[in-house]
């Protein structure tokens, strides 16, 4: 890895890292198509991008829909929700359950790991939820203000499925939504051909990666649709004939998915726009070079644009970590990707002190920040100095990989410097903090008017100053009644 001194860090190191390229026009056209043509557009994109022809599935869904109508069957939906009785893209819950059973039988260790990951993530999210609560407070006699915490009704989750489908993303997106109290969780993931239809020219049923389907069952996802890419984001944002419109969309994806989330934001809530992953490790002489190298490579193997950075005041440790990275790369199964990432973006920074390393980290605002130091006052002081990061991992054993999978923390975190102003995906993304007001209902009736009159007078004066005559009248008409002792406040 390249080693430099802190004084030689280029300004570009602190600049936002964006690798989306010029895809906005392409993605906007796709979104517009899905809004206009619904399921028809989704079928076309599945054929174009995923090489899967859904025409037979559409025919089967339409036929099943007609049969459902004649038999009096209809799917239970909420008022105003337009959803077909049968969706060509929906994977039945019975299939999800079957995938879960197969996983448990064939890969018990993975099944147990997913269950444990779910349990920890759900427990942590529920603990977070405890700190969002309703309250009312009487700011002045008769002036009662309040806060209510309301979950989003329907959460849309996106889980990509490349060479290594991200099973953990099912856990990380669904658990905070479930803890928040969302009444419906739907998940979109790229389509796959069912094993029984490998040689068929057109598929008769929707299917997806079986590991993702098993994870969806383990996490209690309500509905799963075999729709991938930016078109899935568009479908969840605006709804189609068979995919219901969602209130918030969460989950990772490629640059097209990221751009789609950016473009639909405002029409639907989103978690964040995530860029390439990154880790920043601060260590002193007590750290193990092989552990640090392993953690650097754990981020570098994600993709060539990932960034792994190590900062230390110890020149000896810096050289040992650099050598250890090369040593571990030689036997790493994902060395091609990791090597390219280290070559493009990897960096070891020699600082004058640990405090300088902390200052650099605060300016960088990394997604993951590790503090590889022994327990003690020096480490505690450094923790207090650090304030810009997605997640902070304190101590030698607190490896970032635990945050990825098995410590309850959410691994969907801010990247590209956005940790300066936001945190990672959590229960708060699926909650609305709204406010309430009651007036003239104080328990002490003799004093209940005083605070209300002052509030009405304040509103009238400020409305007049802003030239809003109707606002002023709306306040004074109540104020006059209050003074006449004819209180009609509620």
């Amino acid at each position: 890895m390249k080693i430099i001194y802190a004084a030689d860090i280029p300004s570009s190191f602190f600049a936002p890292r964006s690798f989306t390229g010029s895809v906005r026009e392409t993605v906007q056209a796709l979104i517009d198509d899905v809004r206009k043509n619904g399921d028809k557009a989704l079928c076309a994109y599945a054929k174009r991008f995923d090489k899967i022809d859904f025409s037979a599935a559409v025919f089967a869904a339409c036929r099943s829909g007609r049969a459902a109508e004649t038999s009096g069957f209809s799917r239970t939906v909420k008022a105003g929700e337009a959803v077909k009785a049968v969706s060509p893209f929906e994977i039945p819950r019975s299939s999800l359950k079957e995938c879960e059973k197969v996983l448990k039988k064939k890969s018990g260790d993975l099944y147990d790991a997913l269950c444990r990951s779910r349990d920890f993530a759900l427990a942590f999210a529920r603990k977070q939820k405890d700190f969002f609560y309703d309250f009312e407070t009487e700011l002045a006699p008769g002036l009662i203000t309040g806060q209510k915490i309301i979950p989003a009704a329907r959460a849309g989750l996106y889980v990509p499925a490349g060479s290594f489908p991200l099973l953990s993303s099912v856990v990380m997106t669904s658990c905070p939504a479930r803890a928040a109290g969302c009444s419906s969780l739907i998940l979109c993931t790229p389509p796959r051909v069912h094993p029984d239809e490998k040689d068929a020219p057109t598929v008769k049923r929707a299917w997806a990666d079986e590991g993702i389907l098993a994870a969806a069952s383990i996490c209690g996802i309500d509905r799963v649709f075999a729709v991938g890419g930016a078109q899935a984001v568009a479908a969840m944002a605006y709804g189609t004939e068979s995919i219901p419109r969602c209130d918030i969309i969460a989950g990772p994806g490629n640059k097209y998915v990221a751009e789609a989330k950016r473009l639909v934001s405002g029409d639907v809530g989103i978690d964040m726009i995530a860029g390439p992953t990154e880790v920043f490790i601060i260590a002193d002489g007590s750290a193990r070079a092989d552990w640090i190298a392993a953690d650097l490579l754990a981020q570098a193997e994600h993709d060539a644009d990932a960034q792994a950075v190590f900062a230390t005041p110890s020149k000896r440790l810096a050289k040992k970590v650099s050598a250890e990275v090369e040593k571990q790369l030689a036997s790493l199964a994902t060395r091609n990707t990791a090597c390219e990432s280290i070559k493009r973006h990897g960096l070891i920074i020699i600082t004058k002190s640990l405090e300088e390393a902390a200052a650099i980290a605060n300016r960088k605002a990394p997604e993951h920040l590790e503090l590889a130091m022994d327990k003690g006052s020096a480490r505690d002081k450094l923790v207090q100095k650090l304030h810009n990061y997605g997640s902070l991992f304190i101590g030698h054993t607190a490896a970032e990989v635990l945050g990825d999978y098995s410590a309850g923390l959410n691994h969907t975190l801010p990247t590209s410097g956005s940790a300066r102003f936001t945190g990672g995906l959590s229960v708060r993304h699926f909650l609305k903090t709204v406010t309430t007001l009651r007036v003239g209902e104080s328990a002490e009736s003799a004093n209940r008017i005083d605070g209300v009159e002052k509030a009405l007078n304040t509103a009238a004066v400020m409305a007049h100053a802003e030239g809003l005559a109707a606002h002023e009248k709306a306040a004074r008409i109540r104020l006059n009644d209050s003074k006449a002792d004819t209180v009609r406040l509620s």
Side-chain angles (χ1 to χ4, degrees):
M1 287 182 70
K2 183 179 181 181
I3 301 176
I4 66 171
Y5 286 94
D8 299 322
I9 298 174
S11 58
S12 59
F13 175 76
F14 300 104
R17 303 175 68 238
S18 176
F19 296 85
T20 58
S22 181
V23 300
R24 175 164 295 192
E25 290 185 8
T26 299
V27 175
Q28 184 64 67
L30 186 151
I31 291 172
D32 293 341
D33 190 15
V34 172
R35 293 189 72 175
K36 180 180 179 181
N37 298 304
D39 285 353
K40 182 180 178 181
L42 297 182
C43 285
Y45 290 123
K47 191 171 184 178
R48 176 181 172 186
F49 298 130
D50 303 301
K51 311 305 179 187
I52 294 179
D53 187 347
F54 270 102
S55 57
V58 171
F59 177 77
C62 290
R63 183 173 58 186
S64 298
R66 288 194 297 272
E69 290 172 6
T70 58
S71 66
F73 170 81
S74 63
R75 184 189 298 279
T76 301
V77 296
K78 292 186 176 181
E81 180 183 354
V83 180
K84 288 180 179 177
V86 180
S87 166
F89 310 106
E90 186 167 6
I91 301 168
R93 294 189 71 175
S94 58
S95 296
L96 307 184
K97 200 66 182 176
E98 185 60 32
C99 287
E100 180 183 352
K101 290 179 181 177
V102 170
L103 180 67
K104 186 175 183 180
K105 182 178 180 180
K106 292 186 175 181
S107 184
D109 287 347
L110 178 56
Y111 175 83
D112 290 342
L114 281 169
C115 290
R116 193 175 302 112
S117 178
R118 174 205 60 196
D119 291 345
F120 285 158
L122 195 55
F124 186 77
R126 284 173 173 161
K127 185 64 176 179
Q128 288 181 313
K129 175 65 163 53
D130 289 343
F131 291 87
F132 292 85
Y133 49 86
D134 298 353
F135 68 82
E136 280 194 334
T137 183
E138 192 166 9
L139 298 180
L143 192 67
I144 304 166
T145 57
Q147 169 180 286
K148 290 184 71 67
I149 305 298
I150 302 174
R154 181 181 292 114
L157 315 175
Y158 184 73
V159 177
S163 302
F164 296 96
L166 301 179
L167 309 186
S168 58
S169 289
V170 181
V171 176
M172 297 298 171
T173 53
S174 66
C175 287
R178 185 67 71 196
C182 296
S183 56
S184 176
L185 271 62
I186 77 165
L187 184 148
C188 284
T189 190
R192 294 286 185 266
V193 175
H194 191 280
D196 294 342
E197 298 183 325
K198 284 185 177 180
D199 299 322
T202 176
V203 299
K204 295 182 180 179
R205 72 186 93 177
W207 199 246
D209 177 82
E210 294 182 12
I212 289 176
L213 298 184
S217 179
I218 289 169
C219 293
I221 304 297
D222 297 304
R223 303 177 69 185
V224 176
F225 297 89
V227 180
Q231 60 269 30
V233 174
M236 290 189 286
Y238 302 108
T240 70
E241 298 91 331
S242 64
I243 298 179
R245 182 177 183 176
C246 298
D247 301 302
I248 182 168
I249 297 173
N254 61 20
K255 62 183 180 181
Y256 296 95
V257 170
E259 186 60 31
K261 287 168 68 177
R262 190 194 313 275
L263 291 172
V264 302
S265 177
D267 291 335
V268 64
I270 65 168
D271 51 354
M272 66 189 74
I273 307 296
T277 190
E278 54 204 28
V279 66
F280 192 114
I281 302 174
I282 298 174
D284 62 9
S286 68
R288 287 181 51 169
D290 56 341
W291 286 18
I292 293 173
D295 288 358
L296 292 170
L297 292 174
Q299 290 306 304
E301 72 174 349
H302 275 289
D303 63 68
D305 290 324
Q307 186 173 47
V309 178
F310 171 50
T312 179
S314 171
K315 295 180 183 179
R316 180 172 176 272
L317 182 60
K319 292 178 180 179
K320 287 181 68 175
V321 168
S322 180
E324 187 64 35
V325 166
E326 297 303 319
K327 177 183 176 182
Q328 292 187 25
L329 268 173
S331 59
L332 191 65
T334 53
R335 61 182 172 275
N336 289 341
T337 301
C339 187
E340 190 64 23
S341 167
I342 293 296
K343 180 181 177 182
R344 290 187 191 180
H345 308 292
L347 195 62
I348 295 177
I349 303 170
I350 299 176
T351 61
K352 294 178 181 178
S353 64
L354 289 170
E355 288 72 21
E356 183 179 35
I360 294 169
N362 281 331
R363 186 178 173 191
K364 178 66 173 173
E367 178 187 14
H368 307 100
L369 179 56
E370 291 189 19
L371 194 53
M373 297 172 61
D374 285 339
K375 183 179 180 180
S377 60
R379 192 181 76 182
D380 292 343
K381 289 178 182 178
L382 214 59
V383 168
Q384 295 304 314
K385 291 180 180 293
L386 295 166
H387 51 79
N388 287 339
Y389 49 81
S391 277
L392 176 62
F393 302 86
I394 306 168
H396 302 296
T397 310
E400 185 277 326
V401 67
L402 295 174
D404 279 344
Y405 298 114
S406 56
L409 309 182
N410 204 290
H411 72 199
T412 305
L413 300 170
T415 62
S416 194
S418 57
R420 292 180 298 107
F421 54 83
T422 190
L425 179 64
S426 72
V427 69
R428 71 182 173 87
H429 286 89
F430 300 94
L431 296 172
K432 298 179 293 181
T433 302
V434 297
T435 52
T436 61
L437 175 65
R438 294 189 296 116
V439 296
E441 297 182 358
S442 173
E444 299 181 18
S445 57
N447 297 324
R448 69 176 183 170
I449 302 305
D450 183 54
V452 178
E453 287 185 348
K454 289 179 179 178
L456 287 170
N457 187 63
T458 298
V461 170
M462 294 184 72
H464 179 79
E466 294 184 351
L468 297 174
H471 281 64
E472 180 182 2
K473 184 173 182 180
R476 291 203 182 281
I477 197 171
R478 288 168 170 79
L479 185 60
N480 293 335
D481 274 5
S482 173
K483 289 180 177 179
D485 223 11
T486 310
V487 181
R488 292 188 292 270
L489 300 170
S490 62

